[in-house]
């Protein structure tokens, strides 16, 4: 008996206990994805006899004699897309696309009744990128993508070039490649939060059939490195080893087993005998601050005299806020494949936001010249900053160099929670003072950031956290004191917002409380104190070096949200408490001290343009934006731009897809390359037509001069490059508003209205930019209301799967109205500013402020779970006699 997959019989029989998901992927159906292997995410959804199932839970042997349909089998035999696939293209119902195959398989099976109750019907399919609005629109048949005339690509909602591949399962993510002789790696992880490894007995593991190697600290380079990846590395302490003889958190790598099958590698790990000398554990960041060895860095600075400013104030406010650990939960876990090519060169295919920096780190770690290391990123299933980190490539490289064969490592969802990175939990003390008429006289913040067991991004995140939330307000007296410490806990790292969401929560909550004490409207207080166009923005560094207000839309954003909230008439159920609140944020559009991008554009003999950019696409939409910028400059249509990206052989250097730089830095490099090529084309045409360049016009296929013309193909080949060093930097602004209702007896929260206004400069692709904002809002709502990486008293992560670490489902995310300020940035490419991270920043404090307005309770920490709201309301009731 065989299993019929997409009308083809698969001859291989399933192994005992094998799930359908691995069976299908081993048979080459890479459209079937893995997001959890526990039935929680739906990325593996396929049909068995027409019924959708989670193939990770479905025993492969049960599919014998049945018909299995994967995303690859959904289209008609003539290649025509299934209507649901076409709808996902038309509405661009995806960003990274990792959830899309499963989402389409579920959606295509729904009947009319289920379509009416769509959020419920989608409860088994998670998406971390979109916030579900674009998915819901796709399923309901909305069309959002637009066409553009030649040269008119910018400002239009053009479709992502990869759309047809994404909806048919043809897009190749990191592990969607087959390689003969591939070995599998599994990692043994530490059971202690702090211990010295006394010895590892690998004899039994090595004797196991199929096991090819065991790697321990004795095999690893002595050299220390930072998993953080930055263009300039001097702020990232070198404190990690590929495999260390001391472990500093539960879940740290202890050893790696490389074997012919995953099962053998797992069994090998179980047979390793490790003896430990258990050491004292430090979990509390406040205690760590007193330990010189654990204080990674501190920063202090400001202007004026905060004590004098507070003394001069009519009203003051002081409180301590706390934010929790949250996880990126990119649906594609960290993964890499390594091999040696025919010349013996080390090659890596990895889910990384920084292929060029990863190559550089591997070269340093293993003493290899750049020419001996190649890194490529396939399509990436989400990143959110978590993949601006070298967490798998180093150990895969070590294994490849050791065994000389291809090696594959894919982290499980449990490893993702226990052993990758989180947002930095922070404690933030805020002091504010203002005169009676609402003019700020003092701002003081003290930040204690917990970077976990290793410093990696700790200093950079602290630096950023202490910047914009303070700098956005004018005040003569500002003081910032920041500390970042290590503890024996899972490391923190880069995560969307890079510190701003934490301190923004504290600052924007505090501003709301100050407004209440002043009996002023919170919007009026902000308007009175926010930085104005043309002013210097001052934080702990005094006036900053290369940050300018390239365009100013904060005033528009405040007005847009104010008007949207005022117009909101969503009714709350009888007896519910109703309130509204808002918060603002400012974000430097590029990280400091250099973010570098190079781009090349070439006119090919077929009249197409070949664009090569280094930055990686992980759902942030930069592929589309780059083709739009090039098409606009070259007077053509986006379909004429062939894009190559994130491949250290094929494209020029790029620092990486982080810090919201894909549009503003790589986009500027693309713009400059396209402008240079346009000039070359015109000069070559002028020569051929014997006219002045000024008399020429560039059209779709040719260059014209009056009645004369020359075809573009006749001018090929021509090539030009563009460079951007990421300076000077502009700022973007976001304002978020909520109207909420709270059920007083249960603490249940309903969001009646959610609105965000963004100053993104000139919006190059409105559909995509809206999608970025909606996705950020959904991710921030999870952090505001329930997401938390939980640790027990021994420092062990206890929220180890998607069921216990709940991310928003379709049913959890309210619609968000997205509005754009009308500005054009003088620094960004074609007037654009970045908008990937920034929309996250104001969401949590805006919600906290709305809940405060509704209930009277100021929550000083997140997440604001319904049970905490209920407890607070219950306590308030108990405090009122006879209530
Ligand atoms: S991989 Fe099957 S539900 Fe997540
Ligand atoms: S598009 Fe859904 S997880 Fe990325």
């Amino acid at each position: 008996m065989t299993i019929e997959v997409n009308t083809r019989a698969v001859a291989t029989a399933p192994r005992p206990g094998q799930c359908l998901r691995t069976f299908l992927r081993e048979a080459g159906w890479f459209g079937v994805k893995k997001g959890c292997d526990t039935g929680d995410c739906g990325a593996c959804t396929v049909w068995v006899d027409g019924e959708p199932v989670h193939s990770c839970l479905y025993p492969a042997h049960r599919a014998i004699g049945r018909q299995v349909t994967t995303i690859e089998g959904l289209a008609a035999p003539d290649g025509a897309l299934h209507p649901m696939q076409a709808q996902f293209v038309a509405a661009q119902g995806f960003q990274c696309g990792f959830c899309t195959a499963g989402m389409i398989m579920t959606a295509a099976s729904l009947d009319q009744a289920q379509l009416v109750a769509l959020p419920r019907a989608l409860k088994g399919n998670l998406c971390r990128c979109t916030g579900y609005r674009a998915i819901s629109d796709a399923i309901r048949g909305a069309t959002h993508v637009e066409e553009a005339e030649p040269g008119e690509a910018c400002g239009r909602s053009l479709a992502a070039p990869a759309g047809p591949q994404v909806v048919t399962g043809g897009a190749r993510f990191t592990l969607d490649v087959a390689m003969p002789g591939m070995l599998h790696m599994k990692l043994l992880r530490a059971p202690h939060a702090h211990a010295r490894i006394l010895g590892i007995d690998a004899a039994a593991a090595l004797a196991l059939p199929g096991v090819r190697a065991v790697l321990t600290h004795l095999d690893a380079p002595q050299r220390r490195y930072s998993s953080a990846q930055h263009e300039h590395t001097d702020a990232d302490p070198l404190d990690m080893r590929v495999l260390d003889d001391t472990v500093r958190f539960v879940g740290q790598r202890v050893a790696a087993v490389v074997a012919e099958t995953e099962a053998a590698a797992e069994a090998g790990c179980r047979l390793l005998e490790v003896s430990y000398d258990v050491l004292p554990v430090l979990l509390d960041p406040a205690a760590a601050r007193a330990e010189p060895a654990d204080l990674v860095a501190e920063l202090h600075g400001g202007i004026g005299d905060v004590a004098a400013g507070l003394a001069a104030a009519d009203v003051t406010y002081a409180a301590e806020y706390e934010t929790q650990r949250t996880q990126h939960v990119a649906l594609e876990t960290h993964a890499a494949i390594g091999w040696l090519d025919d010349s013996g060169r080390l090659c890596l295919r990895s889910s990384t936001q920084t292929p060029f920096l990863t190559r550089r780190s591997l070269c340093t770690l293993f003493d290899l010249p750049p020419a001996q290391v190649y890194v490529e990123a396939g399509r990436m299933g989400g990143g959110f900053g978590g993949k601006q980190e070298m967490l798998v490539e180093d150990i895969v490289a070590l294994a490849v160099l050791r065994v000389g064969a291809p090696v594959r490592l894919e982290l499980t969802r449990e490893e993702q929670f226990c052993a990758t990175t989180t947002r930095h939990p922070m404690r933030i003390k805020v002091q504010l003072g203002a005169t009676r008429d609402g003019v700020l006289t003092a701002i003081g913040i003290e930040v204690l950031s917990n970077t976990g067991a290793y410093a990696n991004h700790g200093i950079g995140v602290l630096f950023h956290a202490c910047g914009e939330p303070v700098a956005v307000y004018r005040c003569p007296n500002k003081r910032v004191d920041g500390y970042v410490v290590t503890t024996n806990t899972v490391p923190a790292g880069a995560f969307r917002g890079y510190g701003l969401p934490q301190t923004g929560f504290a600052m924007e909550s505090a501003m709301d409380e100050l407004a209440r004490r002043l009996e002023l409207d919170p919007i009026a207080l902000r308007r009175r104190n926010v930085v104005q166009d043309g002013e210097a923005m001052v934080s702990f560094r005094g006036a900053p070096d290369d940050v300018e207000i390239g365009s100013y839309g904060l005033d528009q954003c405040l007005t847009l949200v104010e008007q949207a909230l005022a117009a909101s008439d969503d009714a709350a159920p009888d007896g519910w408490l109703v309130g509204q609140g808002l918060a603002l944020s400012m974000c430097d559009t590029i990280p400091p001290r250099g973010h570098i991008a190079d781009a090349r554009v070439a006119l090919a003999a077929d009249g197409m343009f070949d664009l090569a950019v280094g930055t990686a696409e992980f759902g942030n939409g930069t592929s589309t934006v780059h083709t739009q910028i090039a098409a606009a400059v070259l007077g053509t249509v986006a379909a004429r731009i062939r894009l190559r990206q994130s491949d250290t052989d094929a494209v020029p250097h790029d620092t990486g897809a982080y810090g919201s730089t894909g549009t503003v830095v790589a986009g500027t490099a693309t713009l400059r390359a396209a402008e240079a090529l346009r000039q070359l084309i015109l000069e070559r045409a002028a020569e051929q037509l014997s006219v002045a360049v000024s008399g020429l016009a560039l059209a779709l296929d040719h260059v014209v001069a009056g009645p004369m013309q020359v075809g573009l193909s006749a001018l090929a080949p021509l090539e030009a490059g563009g460079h951007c060093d990421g300076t000077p930097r502009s700022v973007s602004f976001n304002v978020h508003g909520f109207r909420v209702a709270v059920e007083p007896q249960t603490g249940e929260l309903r969001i009646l209205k959610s609105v965000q206004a963004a100053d993104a400069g000139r919006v190059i692709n409105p559909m995509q930019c809206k999608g970025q904002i909606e996705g950020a809002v959904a991710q921030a709502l999870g952090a505001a209301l329930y997401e938390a990486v939980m640790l027990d008293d021994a420092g062990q992560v206890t929220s180890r799967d998607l069921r216990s670490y709940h991310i928003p489902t379709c049913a959890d995310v309210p619609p968000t109205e997205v509005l754009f300020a009308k500005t054009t940035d003088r620094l960004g490419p074609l007037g654009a500013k970045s908008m990937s991270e920034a929309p996250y920043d104001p969401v949590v404090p805006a919600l906290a402020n709305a809940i405060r307005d509704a209930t009277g309770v100021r929550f000083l920490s997140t997440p604001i779970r319904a049970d905490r709201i209920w407890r607070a309301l219950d306590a308030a009731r108990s405090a009122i006699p006879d209530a």
Side-chain angles (χ1 to χ4, degrees), residues 818-845:
V818 175
L819 304 163
F820 291 111
K822 291 186 173 39
T823 65
T824 300
D825 198 75
R826 62 188 158 76
L827 302 175
L830 303 177
K833 298 198 272 197
S834 57
M835 198 46 63
S836 290
E837 303 185 76
Y840 187 109
D841 298 338
V843 176
V844 180

Side-chain angles (χ1 to χ4, degrees), residues 94-100 103 126-130 135 331 381-382:
F94 62 88
Q95 286 181 20
C96 79
F98 199 78
C99 70
T100 310
M103 205 63 88
L126 297 177
C127 173
R128 190 54 156 171
C129 301
T130 62
I135 291 172
L331 222 52

Side-chain angles (χ1 to χ4, degrees), residues 126 128 782 786-788 801-809 812:
L126 297 177
R128 190 54 156 171
Y786 34 78
E787 288 185 34
D801 54 37
L802 290 170
R803 211 159 295 175
S804 49
Y805 184 94
H806 176 75
I807 67 167
T809 67
D812 296 321

Side-chain angles (χ1 to χ4, degrees), residues 128 324-326 778-790 804-809 811-813 862-866:
R128 190 54 156 171
Q324 82 279 31
R325 281 183 186 81
T326 53
Q779 203 172 40
L781 280 174
L785 294 174
Y786 34 78
E787 288 185 34
V789 176
M790 303 300 292
S804 49
Y805 184 94
H806 176 75
I807 67 167
T809 67
D812 296 321
V813 184
T862 49
I864 308 172
R865 296 185 311 268

Side-chain angles (χ1 to χ4, degrees), residues 347-548:
C347 302
L348 265 292
R349 177 178 170 86
S350 171
S351 184
T352 174
Q353 294 173 233
T354 58
F356 288 87
L357 302 188
T358 299
R359 177 176 67 166
R360 187 181 68 187
S361 295
L362 292 173
C363 289
T364 306
L365 199 47
F366 295 105
D367 284 320
L368 293 168
Q372 276 302 102
V373 183
Y374 163 72
V375 178
E376 68 174 12
R379 191 170 176 89
M380 217 186 308
F384 313 113
K387 293 170 181 173
Q388 190 198 339
E389 205 99 37
M390 189 168 73
L391 296 178
V392 289
E393 298 88 347
D394 55 327
I395 188 85
V396 170
L398 179 68
V400 171
L401 293 171
R402 172 71 174 273
V403 300
V407 175
R408 173 189 190 278
L409 173 62
E410 178 180 24
L411 297 195
T412 62
R413 181 57 59 187
E414 183 174 344
E415 286 179 299
Q416 203 72 15
F417 281 117
C418 301
T420 66
T421 54
T422 69
R423 189 178 291 288
H424 288 73
M426 291 189 189
R427 295 176 190 171
I428 306 129
K429 291 180 183 163
V430 187
Q431 286 182 298
L432 298 178
T435 58
R436 177 62 56 202
D437 58 353
V439 175
L440 283 171
T441 58
I443 300 176
I445 68 166
E446 184 185 300
V447 181
L448 176 59
S449 175
N450 181 355
T451 188
Y454 290 96
N456 47 340
H457 285 272
I459 296 174
V461 166
L462 179 69
F463 191 87
H464 199 218
C466 293
E468 292 96 307
V470 174
V472 74
Y473 290 107
R474 290 184 290 175
C475 181
N477 304 297
K478 294 182 177 180
R479 175 78 194 170
V480 175
D481 296 286
Y483 306 86
V484 54
V485 297
T486 51
T487 55
N488 295 113
T489 57
V490 61
F495 191 170
R496 197 175 207 164
Y498 211 65
L500 296 190
Q502 296 97 309
T503 46
F505 167 61
M507 267 300 295
E508 291 301 302
S509 298
M511 283 296 288
D512 207 67
E513 283 303 316
L514 187 68
R516 288 176 185 282
R517 283 158 176 73
L518 288 163
E519 297 179 356
L520 283 176
D521 181 282
I523 301 182
L525 179 67
R526 287 178 171 85
R527 279 209 181 95
R528 193 159 300 174
N529 290 285
V530 288
V531 68
Q532 299 296 309
D533 197 4
E535 290 182 349
M537 294 152 291
V538 179
S539 178
F540 63 96
R541 290 168 287 161
D545 31 24
D546 66 339
V547 183
E548 300 171 26

Side-chain angles (χ1 to χ4, degrees), residues 204-241:
L206 285 167
L208 197 68
V211 170
R212 296 278 288 273
V214 174
L215 304 170
T216 72
H217 58 275
L218 300 175
D219 304 287
Q222 286 294 330
R223 180 168 281 142
R224 292 189 179 273
Y225 68 99
S226 171
S227 64
Q229 301 296 303
H230 284 116
E231 184 69 42
H232 302 294
T233 56
D234 46 331
D236 302 331
L238 308 179
D239 56 1
M240 313 179 90
R241 280 185 67 198

Side-chain angles (χ1 to χ4, degrees), residues 177 367 501-502 546 558 606 609 653-654 743 823 849 883:
V177 292
D367 284 320
Q502 296 97 309
D546 66 339
L558 284 166
D606 59 0
F609 295 96
H653 178 84
D654 187 281
E743 208 291 319
T823 65
N849 292 342

